Amino acid sequence: MVWSDRTSEFGNLAEAIRRKQEQNGVQLSQRKLSPANQKSQFSYAAAKISRGVFETSEKLTKLTNMAKNTKLFMDSSAQIEELTFIIKQDIQSLNRELSALDQYVKSSRQPNKQTGDHSETIVGFLNTKLISATKDFKDILEVRTESLKQQQEKKDSFAGYSSNTYSTTIDNPSGTSKTEMRHRNTQTRDDNILYKYDEEEDYDSSAQEHSILMPTELTTTNYTASRLRAAENISSTIHQLEGIFSQLANLVSQQGEVIERIDANMDDTLLNIGRGHDSLVTTLYNISSNRSLIIKIFLVLIIFSIIFIVFFA
Amino acid sequence: MNMNSNTNNPNQGGFDQFGNNSFSIKEKQIESINRMLSLKASDSISSSKPGWQDVWKILIFDTYCSSIISPILTKGALRNQGITLYLPLHSDRQPIQDAPAIYFVLPTLDNIKRIAEDCKNKLYDNIYLNFASKLPNNLMEELATLTIQSDSVSMISKLYEQFLNFVTLEKDLFTLNFPKESYLQFNDPTIKDSQAQENIDSVVDSLFSVLVTMSVIPIIRCPKNGAAEMIATQLEKKISQHLLQSGVGNLFSNEMGSQLSSFYRPVLIILDRNIDLSVMLHHPWTYQALAHDILNMSNNRVKVDVTNDNVTKKVTYDLDSTSDYFWSANTGAPFFNVAGEVKNLIKDYTDSMEKLKQLTDVNVDLDSDDLSKVNENKSIGLGDLVSSTKEKKRLMDLHTNLATDLMKNIRDRQIDCFFTMEEAIITRTMFDKKELNSLITSPVVGEAGGKGTLEDKLRLLLIYYLSTKNIPTNEMETYEDALTKMGLDLTCLQYFKKTKAFNESLLAIVNQPSTSTKGASSTTTSTSTTASGFMSMLTGYQPNIETFASFFSQGVRSLLPKSKDLFVTRVVESIMDLKNTLDADYLYMDPKIQNKSNVPRRTTPFKEAIVFTVGGGNYVEYQNLQDYSKKSNKKIIYGTTELLTSKDFLAQIKTLKDHTN
């Protein structure tokens, strides 16, 4: 606690002084300042965009976590795609709103220069934030593309052995049944028969395996197609983002004062004050010389008119 | 070579694990200001990541508060806090709709009146008042009366006292910038009592704010008699009164348990400038100190002469140790090392330029397929590279220009000669009387064989006079005659002659320099000015490694300051390590103990200290303390009423002498 709040103390003090003055008969207008006067359309819109960008960046973090997940069998591409789509929509609509706001600021007459500066800074600030969010988005998409690529490569390398993989997995249950059979038949059948049986069993299982493999292949193709779609989607999104980027880039260039200090203009100000003072002095000099001239003229006029009235009227 | 502390400070983590207890005044002040700007009265703001802005605020400050904010927060940092406009209080301001205004001002009558006027004119939606120090009750009454008259009390939403009335320049350096001409103010016998009291009050007030911002209650040590003692006693009284009145919820309490903070209590050492005056006259040899002494750096801002195509103009640079890694690494480095480092900086820049060129260089011979592929790979990270190269360019320009300008001055005035001579005198090593003689009596810069300006000569003579016990009268007279002939005003010397007896008694306290210094190891290479190389450097403003390298290798001595502790540093060392040598002369105060007759002494050495000099300080002293703190693995914050260059200091002495006559 390194500060002290004296608001209430001040309020009490003000109330006390007010009462004292009222007792002394001083009438004070009891007009209450309307608190929370209506926020202007502009600041409402700015706050809305600000919140929008904030929410978008939160969604971005979510997306980042998902996109970084490169495990082969824990794919959440549907969710990722959905989220990407939402964020894209968000950024586009935010960008639209922001340019509308920018237009509004530029077109509407500001009551004074400082208010204008104020609004322009807000727009500029929102722009920078939106740009950084867009950049994050682009980075994430790039990461995603990369991970999709990697997954595809992995899959390709697996594809060569895929039937083997499936057969081993499917062999296992039949393997257990085989041993059971063996137990049952050890004493009655010789090794050859057993071998034959095994072959039969194998044939059976491979047929089984084939029937199972069919749908898997089908899903894999589906899967690859969906991946292709995702990749295409992403590249088109990146493309659209580039458009937004170039739009925003020129606005950001105006915001290059990040490392400036608040007293940066102090010296200029001092210089200007000095100049202002000088010109004031000159003006004063001019005015005073004018003044004496006017006085002289009027004096001449008055004397002349007096003479005229006295002697000629 | 690299003076960066972090690497050679193995136990640093020991402090940092207590997060909040980091002993950095800059961090704490930024924290406080950010909290003020966020309009939220909670401590959690620093820990949570910056939330989203939907309130846009206007910051209004007076001159002093602008000097508080400007060295530590840039416009960009302020904007991230939702500040859109930054306006001086006493300027023409126009009404702005639906935006709250944050006022950050000193509590003065002028400011109060202006604030009341703003309320009356309803310039802003509502107003958050933040006073940099305690708002006196009469001023609060004034504000209340004025706002009631215009029926605008409800404009003021909040009123805070922030305890921030000190200027932080580095993480361990602060200055009050007040009172102006502080050495004069604290040593002038003709000063009015009321003025003197006011000065002391304001210093006590600022020190109180420093301690509140740091959330520490230190043990206070100060020499007996003089302004330092008065400040120390009043500060102690103020703290213990505050503790007594507010109990547990006082300004010093923080989230951490009180046991921990009492375990880590630092010592506040308040010193009088008069205990060591020679350091104020000493020619510096480290980067930051040179920038301050030669180029008059103030509030981390320096004006540099930049010669480009034979046109010289002043360029203003901000030196911010948080964003400028080169500056933060080299502030305390001897100038010769800095020159080498600048070379590396240039090389670094050319390397990344080369990289950039390679990336952007498109080879048309490639097939179109290959081309797109290559471009795709290249474009990733290109933007980052461009911006980092841009930043490197900025730093390189800054430091090349700064170093060049310093170099020019050093060469013109032969500051290296003065520095070695003075250092030998101060550390009491053997030196060549003939060289001293030639330095003092030779003509000034601009004439044939000229060495140094009159001021340089005076500084050398004064240091010689102050640090040497018995100087033969005829020797002194020779020097004085020579200098008077050159048209030098010797008022300052007369002042020192008067006070020497006093100084000597103080010097006697000091143990002799503990570190044995080696003889001047620096070999003087030819100092004859190589005009051609120099001129080529000036004209070839665009970084040209070859010229820069040759420029620095020629004619400059590879001087390294010898490891020696200044007087102030020796005092600090002996207090922190609880050596008994100074006990008789230094008071011991503990604001936590209410029973003043029996104050228990601390028995373990201090790990942290705040050193404050009353009546001005400089970067040489600051640097010396930092070197010591790194060596001994302690943490020291240096503060002073005013950072003075030797020139300012001599001017004050001169006025002082005029007053006493």
Side-chain angles (χ1 to χ4, degrees), chain B residues 168-170 173 175 273 279-280 284 286-293 296-301 319 327 331-332 566 617-627 638 640 642-645:
Chain B
T168 312
L169 295 176
E170 299 287 336
L173 174 68
T175 160
R273 181 70 275 159
V279 67
M280 298 303 292
T286 53
Y287 198 30
Q288 192 180 29
L290 278 168
H292 177 243
D293 193 59
N296 232 330
M297 177 170 76
S298 75
N299 277 357
N300 287 354
R301 155 167 298 184
L319 296 162
W327 179 247
T331 43
L566 294 171
N618 66 8
Y619 282 99
V620 177
E621 207 165 68
Y622 161 64
Q623 201 52 57
N624 200 262
L625 277 171
Q626 288 317 314
D627 289 346
Y638 179 69
T640 176
E642 200 181 4
L643 280 165
L644 291 172
T645 61

Short mmCIF file of all heavy atoms in Angstrom, two decimals, chain B residues 168-170 173 175 273 279-280 284 286-293 296-301 319 327 331-332 566 617-627 638 640 642-645:
data_model
loop_
_atom_site.label_atom_id
_atom_site.label_comp_id
_atom_site.label_asym_id
_atom_site.label_seq_id
_atom_site.Cartn_x
_atom_site.Cartn_y
_atom_site.Cartn_z
N THR B 168 13.51 9.01 -10.85
CA THR B 168 14.35 7.82 -10.97
C THR B 168 15.00 7.80 -12.34
O THR B 168 14.32 7.91 -13.35
CB THR B 168 13.51 6.56 -10.80
OG1 THR B 168 12.70 6.71 -9.66
CG2 THR B 168 14.37 5.36 -10.64
N LEU B 169 16.31 7.65 -12.35
CA LEU B 169 17.01 7.64 -13.63
C LEU B 169 17.46 6.24 -14.03
O LEU B 169 17.44 5.88 -15.19
CB LEU B 169 18.21 8.58 -13.58
CG LEU B 169 17.85 10.05 -13.39
CD1 LEU B 169 19.08 10.89 -13.25
CD2 LEU B 169 16.99 10.56 -14.52
N GLU B 170 17.88 5.49 -13.04
CA GLU B 170 18.29 4.12 -13.31
C GLU B 170 17.65 3.25 -12.25
O GLU B 170 17.01 3.76 -11.34
CB GLU B 170 19.82 3.97 -13.22
CG GLU B 170 20.60 4.82 -14.18
CD GLU B 170 20.51 4.34 -15.62
OE1 GLU B 170 20.26 3.14 -15.82
OE2 GLU B 170 20.65 5.17 -16.52
N LEU B 173 19.37 4.50 -9.15
CA LEU B 173 19.81 5.90 -9.08
C LEU B 173 18.58 6.81 -9.08
O LEU B 173 17.72 6.68 -9.94
CB LEU B 173 20.70 6.23 -10.28
CG LEU B 173 21.12 7.69 -10.43
CD1 LEU B 173 22.06 8.10 -9.33
CD2 LEU B 173 21.76 7.93 -11.78
N THR B 175 17.25 11.03 -8.15
CA THR B 175 17.64 12.37 -7.81
C THR B 175 16.36 13.14 -7.49
O THR B 175 15.28 12.76 -7.91
CB THR B 175 18.43 13.04 -8.96
OG1 THR B 175 18.38 14.45 -8.78
CG2 THR B 175 17.84 12.70 -10.29
N ARG B 273 27.52 16.56 1.40
CA ARG B 273 28.44 16.69 0.28
C ARG B 273 29.83 17.09 0.76
O ARG B 273 30.84 16.70 0.17
CB ARG B 273 27.88 17.73 -0.70
CG ARG B 273 28.67 18.02 -1.94
CD ARG B 273 28.67 16.87 -2.90
NE ARG B 273 29.71 15.91 -2.58
CZ ARG B 273 29.69 14.66 -2.98
NH1 ARG B 273 28.71 14.19 -3.69
NH2 ARG B 273 30.66 13.84 -2.66
N VAL B 279 35.59 14.64 -5.42
CA VAL B 279 34.96 13.80 -6.42
C VAL B 279 34.08 14.62 -7.37
O VAL B 279 33.89 14.29 -8.53
CB VAL B 279 34.15 12.66 -5.77
CG1 VAL B 279 32.96 13.20 -5.02
CG2 VAL B 279 33.67 11.68 -6.82
N MET B 280 33.59 15.74 -6.86
CA MET B 280 32.75 16.59 -7.70
C MET B 280 33.57 17.29 -8.79
O MET B 280 33.02 17.80 -9.76
CB MET B 280 32.05 17.66 -6.86
CG MET B 280 31.11 17.12 -5.82
SD MET B 280 29.83 16.08 -6.51
CE MET B 280 28.88 17.28 -7.42
N PRO B 284 35.77 12.56 -15.20
CA PRO B 284 35.30 11.17 -15.27
C PRO B 284 35.98 10.41 -16.40
O PRO B 284 36.56 11.00 -17.29
CB PRO B 284 33.81 11.31 -15.53
CG PRO B 284 33.69 12.60 -16.27
CD PRO B 284 34.82 13.48 -15.83
N THR B 286 34.31 7.13 -17.28
CA THR B 286 33.36 6.11 -17.70
C THR B 286 32.30 6.74 -18.59
O THR B 286 32.08 7.94 -18.56
CB THR B 286 32.68 5.44 -16.48
OG1 THR B 286 32.14 6.45 -15.66
CG2 THR B 286 33.66 4.62 -15.70
N TYR B 287 31.66 5.89 -19.36
CA TYR B 287 30.79 6.35 -20.45
C TYR B 287 29.69 7.30 -19.96
O TYR B 287 29.57 8.44 -20.41
CB TYR B 287 30.17 5.11 -21.10
CG TYR B 287 29.59 5.32 -22.47
CD1 TYR B 287 30.09 6.27 -23.33
CD2 TYR B 287 28.53 4.53 -22.91
CE1 TYR B 287 29.56 6.44 -24.60
CE2 TYR B 287 28.00 4.69 -24.18
CZ TYR B 287 28.51 5.64 -25.02
OH TYR B 287 27.98 5.80 -26.26
N GLN B 288 28.90 6.81 -19.01
CA GLN B 288 27.77 7.59 -18.53
C GLN B 288 28.23 8.89 -17.89
O GLN B 288 27.69 9.97 -18.15
CB GLN B 288 27.00 6.76 -17.52
CG GLN B 288 25.66 7.32 -17.15
CD GLN B 288 24.97 6.43 -16.14
OE1 GLN B 288 25.63 5.75 -15.35
NE2 GLN B 288 23.67 6.41 -16.17
N ALA B 289 29.28 8.78 -17.07
CA ALA B 289 29.76 9.96 -16.37
C ALA B 289 30.31 11.00 -17.34
O ALA B 289 30.13 12.21 -17.16
CB ALA B 289 30.83 9.56 -15.36
N LEU B 290 30.96 10.51 -18.40
CA LEU B 290 31.46 11.44 -19.41
C LEU B 290 30.31 12.15 -20.12
O LEU B 290 30.34 13.36 -20.34
CB LEU B 290 32.30 10.69 -20.45
CG LEU B 290 33.75 10.40 -20.09
CD1 LEU B 290 34.33 9.41 -21.07
CD2 LEU B 290 34.56 11.67 -20.09
N ALA B 291 29.28 11.37 -20.43
CA ALA B 291 28.12 11.97 -21.10
C ALA B 291 27.51 13.06 -20.23
O ALA B 291 27.04 14.08 -20.72
CB ALA B 291 27.08 10.90 -21.42
N HIS B 292 27.54 12.81 -18.92
CA HIS B 292 26.97 13.80 -18.01
C HIS B 292 27.88 15.01 -17.89
O HIS B 292 27.45 16.15 -18.01
CB HIS B 292 26.76 13.15 -16.64
CG HIS B 292 26.24 14.08 -15.60
ND1 HIS B 292 26.95 14.40 -14.47
CD2 HIS B 292 25.09 14.78 -15.54
CE1 HIS B 292 26.25 15.26 -13.75
NE2 HIS B 292 25.12 15.51 -14.37
N ASP B 293 29.15 14.78 -17.67
CA ASP B 293 30.06 15.88 -17.37
C ASP B 293 30.38 16.71 -18.61
O ASP B 293 30.43 17.93 -18.54
CB ASP B 293 31.35 15.33 -16.77
CG ASP B 293 32.18 16.43 -16.14
OD1 ASP B 293 31.65 17.09 -15.24
OD2 ASP B 293 33.33 16.65 -16.56
N ASN B 296 26.62 17.27 -20.63
CA ASN B 296 25.55 17.82 -19.83
C ASN B 296 24.26 17.01 -19.91
O ASN B 296 23.17 17.56 -20.04
CB ASN B 296 25.24 19.24 -20.32
CG ASN B 296 25.25 20.20 -19.18
OD1 ASN B 296 24.93 19.80 -18.05
ND2 ASN B 296 25.61 21.43 -19.45
N MET B 297 24.39 15.73 -19.81
CA MET B 297 23.21 14.88 -19.84
C MET B 297 22.29 15.23 -18.66
O MET B 297 22.74 15.36 -17.53
CB MET B 297 23.63 13.42 -19.73
CG MET B 297 22.49 12.46 -19.69
SD MET B 297 23.05 10.77 -19.87
CE MET B 297 23.72 10.43 -18.25
N SER B 298 21.02 15.41 -18.94
CA SER B 298 20.11 15.64 -17.83
C SER B 298 18.85 14.82 -18.04
O SER B 298 18.33 14.72 -19.15
CB SER B 298 19.76 17.12 -17.72
OG SER B 298 18.86 17.48 -18.72
N ASN B 299 18.38 14.22 -16.99
CA ASN B 299 17.23 13.31 -17.04
C ASN B 299 17.38 12.27 -18.16
O ASN B 299 16.45 12.02 -18.93
CB ASN B 299 15.93 14.08 -17.24
CG ASN B 299 15.41 14.62 -15.94
OD1 ASN B 299 15.99 14.37 -14.90
ND2 ASN B 299 14.33 15.38 -16.01
N ASN B 300 18.54 11.68 -18.24
CA ASN B 300 18.83 10.64 -19.23
C ASN B 300 18.68 11.12 -20.66
O ASN B 300 18.37 10.34 -21.56
CB ASN B 300 17.91 9.41 -19.02
CG ASN B 300 18.31 8.63 -17.82
OD1 ASN B 300 19.32 8.93 -17.19
ND2 ASN B 300 17.53 7.65 -17.47
N ARG B 301 18.84 12.40 -20.87
CA ARG B 301 18.70 12.92 -22.22
C ARG B 301 19.96 13.73 -22.52
O ARG B 301 20.39 14.53 -21.69
CB ARG B 301 17.45 13.77 -22.29
CG ARG B 301 17.46 14.80 -23.37
CD ARG B 301 16.10 15.35 -23.57
NE ARG B 301 15.21 14.28 -23.98
CZ ARG B 301 13.95 14.47 -24.31
NH1 ARG B 301 13.43 15.66 -24.22
NH2 ARG B 301 13.20 13.48 -24.70
N LEU B 319 18.61 8.19 -23.46
CA LEU B 319 19.38 7.01 -23.08
C LEU B 319 18.57 6.24 -22.05
O LEU B 319 18.50 6.62 -20.89
CB LEU B 319 20.74 7.43 -22.52
CG LEU B 319 21.61 8.12 -23.56
CD1 LEU B 319 22.72 8.90 -22.92
CD2 LEU B 319 22.16 7.11 -24.54
N TRP B 327 23.62 0.59 -23.90
CA TRP B 327 23.80 1.58 -22.84
C TRP B 327 23.83 0.90 -21.48
O TRP B 327 24.68 1.19 -20.65
CB TRP B 327 22.66 2.61 -22.93
CG TRP B 327 22.68 3.67 -21.89
CD1 TRP B 327 21.76 3.84 -20.89
CD2 TRP B 327 23.62 4.73 -21.74
NE1 TRP B 327 22.09 4.93 -20.14
CE2 TRP B 327 23.22 5.50 -20.63
CE3 TRP B 327 24.77 5.09 -22.42
CZ2 TRP B 327 23.92 6.61 -20.19
CZ3 TRP B 327 25.47 6.21 -21.98
CH2 TRP B 327 25.04 6.94 -20.89
N THR B 331 27.28 1.59 -19.35
CA THR B 331 27.24 2.85 -18.60
C THR B 331 28.48 3.03 -17.74
O THR B 331 29.03 4.11 -17.63
CB THR B 331 26.01 2.92 -17.70
OG1 THR B 331 25.85 1.67 -17.08
CG2 THR B 331 24.77 3.32 -18.45
N GLY B 332 28.90 1.95 -17.12
CA GLY B 332 30.00 2.07 -16.17
C GLY B 332 31.34 1.67 -16.76
O GLY B 332 32.33 1.61 -16.05
N LEU B 566 36.12 5.51 -3.61
CA LEU B 566 36.06 6.91 -3.20
C LEU B 566 35.69 6.98 -1.72
O LEU B 566 35.28 6.01 -1.11
CB LEU B 566 35.02 7.65 -4.04
CG LEU B 566 35.35 7.76 -5.52
CD1 LEU B 566 34.17 8.30 -6.29
CD2 LEU B 566 36.55 8.68 -5.71
N GLY B 617 25.41 15.33 -6.14
CA GLY B 617 26.24 14.16 -6.35
C GLY B 617 26.55 14.07 -7.82
O GLY B 617 26.13 14.93 -8.59
N ASN B 618 27.27 13.05 -8.21
CA ASN B 618 27.49 12.89 -9.65
C ASN B 618 27.65 11.42 -10.02
O ASN B 618 27.61 10.55 -9.17
CB ASN B 618 28.66 13.72 -10.15
CG ASN B 618 29.97 13.26 -9.59
OD1 ASN B 618 30.07 12.22 -8.95
ND2 ASN B 618 31.00 14.04 -9.84
N TYR B 619 27.79 11.20 -11.31
CA TYR B 619 27.82 9.83 -11.81
C TYR B 619 29.10 9.09 -11.41
O TYR B 619 29.10 7.88 -11.37
CB TYR B 619 27.66 9.82 -13.33
CG TYR B 619 26.24 10.02 -13.78
CD1 TYR B 619 25.78 11.25 -14.20
CD2 TYR B 619 25.36 8.95 -13.78
CE1 TYR B 619 24.46 11.42 -14.61
CE2 TYR B 619 24.05 9.10 -14.18
CZ TYR B 619 23.60 10.35 -14.61
OH TYR B 619 22.31 10.50 -15.00
N VAL B 620 30.17 9.83 -11.17
CA VAL B 620 31.41 9.18 -10.77
C VAL B 620 31.20 8.44 -9.46
O VAL B 620 31.54 7.26 -9.31
CB VAL B 620 32.55 10.21 -10.63
CG1 VAL B 620 33.81 9.53 -10.16
CG2 VAL B 620 32.80 10.91 -11.95
N GLU B 621 30.58 9.14 -8.53
CA GLU B 621 30.33 8.57 -7.22
C GLU B 621 29.36 7.38 -7.34
O GLU B 621 29.56 6.33 -6.73
CB GLU B 621 29.73 9.64 -6.33
CG GLU B 621 29.97 9.46 -4.87
CD GLU B 621 29.66 10.75 -4.13
OE1 GLU B 621 28.49 11.15 -4.06
OE2 GLU B 621 30.62 11.37 -3.64
N TYR B 622 28.31 7.59 -8.14
CA TYR B 622 27.31 6.54 -8.36
C TYR B 622 27.99 5.29 -8.91
O TYR B 622 27.77 4.18 -8.42
CB TYR B 622 26.25 7.07 -9.33
CG TYR B 622 25.41 6.03 -10.01
CD1 TYR B 622 24.56 5.22 -9.28
CD2 TYR B 622 25.45 5.88 -11.39
CE1 TYR B 622 23.77 4.28 -9.91
CE2 TYR B 622 24.66 4.94 -12.03
CZ TYR B 622 23.83 4.14 -11.29
OH TYR B 622 23.07 3.20 -11.92
N GLN B 623 28.85 5.49 -9.91
CA GLN B 623 29.52 4.38 -10.54
C GLN B 623 30.43 3.67 -9.56
O GLN B 623 30.48 2.45 -9.51
CB GLN B 623 30.32 4.89 -11.74
CG GLN B 623 30.61 3.81 -12.74
CD GLN B 623 29.35 3.08 -13.15
OE1 GLN B 623 28.41 3.69 -13.63
NE2 GLN B 623 29.30 1.78 -12.94
N ASN B 624 31.12 4.47 -8.78
CA ASN B 624 32.04 3.88 -7.80
C ASN B 624 31.29 3.00 -6.81
O ASN B 624 31.72 1.89 -6.48
CB ASN B 624 32.77 5.02 -7.08
CG ASN B 624 34.04 4.56 -6.43
OD1 ASN B 624 34.04 4.29 -5.24
ND2 ASN B 624 35.11 4.43 -7.20
N LEU B 625 30.13 3.48 -6.35
CA LEU B 625 29.32 2.70 -5.42
C LEU B 625 28.82 1.42 -6.08
O LEU B 625 28.80 0.35 -5.46
CB LEU B 625 28.12 3.52 -4.95
CG LEU B 625 28.38 4.49 -3.80
CD1 LEU B 625 27.19 5.39 -3.59
CD2 LEU B 625 28.65 3.70 -2.53
N GLN B 626 28.42 1.54 -7.35
CA GLN B 626 27.92 0.34 -8.04
C GLN B 626 29.02 -0.69 -8.22
O GLN B 626 28.79 -1.88 -8.06
CB GLN B 626 27.33 0.72 -9.41
CG GLN B 626 26.01 1.46 -9.34
CD GLN B 626 25.06 0.88 -8.32
OE1 GLN B 626 24.87 -0.33 -8.26
NE2 GLN B 626 24.46 1.72 -7.51
N ASP B 627 30.23 -0.21 -8.52
CA ASP B 627 31.35 -1.14 -8.65
C ASP B 627 31.58 -1.88 -7.33
O ASP B 627 31.78 -3.09 -7.31
CB ASP B 627 32.63 -0.39 -9.05
CG ASP B 627 32.54 0.10 -10.48
OD1 ASP B 627 31.65 -0.36 -11.21
OD2 ASP B 627 33.37 0.96 -10.87
N TYR B 638 21.68 4.72 -5.09
CA TYR B 638 22.31 6.01 -4.85
C TYR B 638 21.32 7.12 -5.15
O TYR B 638 20.64 7.10 -6.18
CB TYR B 638 23.54 6.13 -5.75
CG TYR B 638 24.31 7.44 -5.64
CD1 TYR B 638 25.02 7.74 -4.48
CD2 TYR B 638 24.33 8.35 -6.68
CE1 TYR B 638 25.73 8.92 -4.38
CE2 TYR B 638 25.04 9.54 -6.59
CZ TYR B 638 25.74 9.82 -5.43
OH TYR B 638 26.44 10.99 -5.33
N THR B 640 20.55 11.54 -4.66
CA THR B 640 21.15 12.81 -4.34
C THR B 640 20.13 13.92 -4.58
O THR B 640 19.12 13.71 -5.25
CB THR B 640 22.42 13.05 -5.18
OG1 THR B 640 22.92 14.34 -4.91
CG2 THR B 640 22.12 12.94 -6.66
N GLU B 642 20.66 16.48 -6.29
CA GLU B 642 20.82 17.03 -7.63
C GLU B 642 22.06 16.40 -8.24
O GLU B 642 23.08 16.30 -7.57
CB GLU B 642 21.03 18.54 -7.49
CG GLU B 642 20.75 19.36 -8.68
CD GLU B 642 21.02 20.84 -8.40
OE1 GLU B 642 21.50 21.19 -7.31
OE2 GLU B 642 20.78 21.64 -9.27
N LEU B 643 21.97 16.00 -9.50
CA LEU B 643 23.18 15.49 -10.15
C LEU B 643 23.90 16.67 -10.79
O LEU B 643 23.39 17.32 -11.69
CB LEU B 643 22.81 14.47 -11.22
CG LEU B 643 22.51 13.08 -10.69
CD1 LEU B 643 21.82 12.25 -11.75
CD2 LEU B 643 23.76 12.38 -10.22
N LEU B 644 25.09 16.94 -10.28
CA LEU B 644 25.78 18.16 -10.70
C LEU B 644 26.97 17.83 -11.60
O LEU B 644 27.71 16.89 -11.34
CB LEU B 644 26.30 18.91 -9.48
CG LEU B 644 25.26 19.56 -8.58
CD1 LEU B 644 25.94 20.07 -7.33
CD2 LEU B 644 24.57 20.67 -9.30
N THR B 645 27.16 18.63 -12.62
CA THR B 645 28.42 18.55 -13.34
C THR B 645 29.41 19.44 -12.60
O THR B 645 29.03 20.28 -11.80
CB THR B 645 28.27 19.06 -14.77
OG1 THR B 645 27.88 20.43 -14.72
CG2 THR B 645 27.21 18.30 -15.53
#
